Amino acid sequence: ASSSQRTKMEVGSVYCGGNARMVEACFGFGGEEAMYVGDHIYSDTNVAKSILQWRTCLVMRELEGEVRALALSQTRRRELGELLVRRDKLLAAKGLSLVRAARKKIGM
C-alpha cells in the first residue's frame, strides 16, 4: 500500500503525502485531541485550528533575530534616554551661564 493508503501507523514506517483525515483515522482521534506543529501561520496552523479543530503550535524561527534586535534596541534606547537627560542638563547649565554673563555685561 502506498503511504496515502495506510490505515494504521506502523513503527519504523515513513509517511508522506496523505492528509489530516488520514492521520486522524490512523491514530483514532482528532479535533482537540490532536496537535499540529507547523512553521507557516496560515497554511499550517490556521487551517489545522479553524477547519480540523486541532490544537496548534507555531514554530517561529524568523523571530529569533527580531527578539535579539528588540533587546539590543531597548538597551540602546535606555542609553540614548540617559544621554538626552545629560544633554538637557548641560544645555540648561550653559543657558544659565549665558544668562548670567549677559546680566553681568549689562550690569544687572
Side-chain angles (χ1 to χ4, degrees):
S2 74
S3 60
S4 62
Q5 295 175 336
R6 293 188 189 273
T7 56
K8 65 178 184 166
M9 302 300 283
E10 297 173 13
V11 175
S13 295
V14 174
Y15 298 86
C16 181
N19 58 58
R21 297 296 179 210
M22 179 202 79
V23 171
E24 289 179 338
C26 285
F27 282 111
F29 59 82
E32 289 188 2
E33 297 174 302
M35 175 176 273
Y36 183 87
V37 178
D39 64 355
H40 190 273
I41 196 162
Y42 182 75
S43 66
D44 288 344
T45 57
N46 188 43
V47 171
K49 179 71 175 171
S50 62
I51 296 173
L52 302 168
Q53 301 302 308
W54 288 7
R55 294 173 185 250
T56 56
C57 175
L58 181 62
V59 177
M60 300 189 309
R61 291 184 204 110
E62 301 85 27
L63 293 180
E64 292 173 2
E66 291 181 35
V67 168
R68 270 189 243 105
L70 179 62
L72 180 60
S73 72
Q74 288 174 341
T75 299
R76 288 191 173 157
R77 279 197 304 254
R78 186 182 68 249
E79 291 170 352
L80 178 59
E82 291 167 0
L83 289 172
L84 290 172
V85 167
R86 185 175 169 202
R87 180 206 63 185
D88 291 346
K89 287 179 181 178
L90 290 170
L91 287 174
K94 183 67 173 170
L96 186 57
S97 296
L98 291 173
V99 168
R100 285 184 185 149
R103 286 181 177 165
K104 185 175 183 181
K105 187 174 184 179
I106 61 171
M108 291 182 71

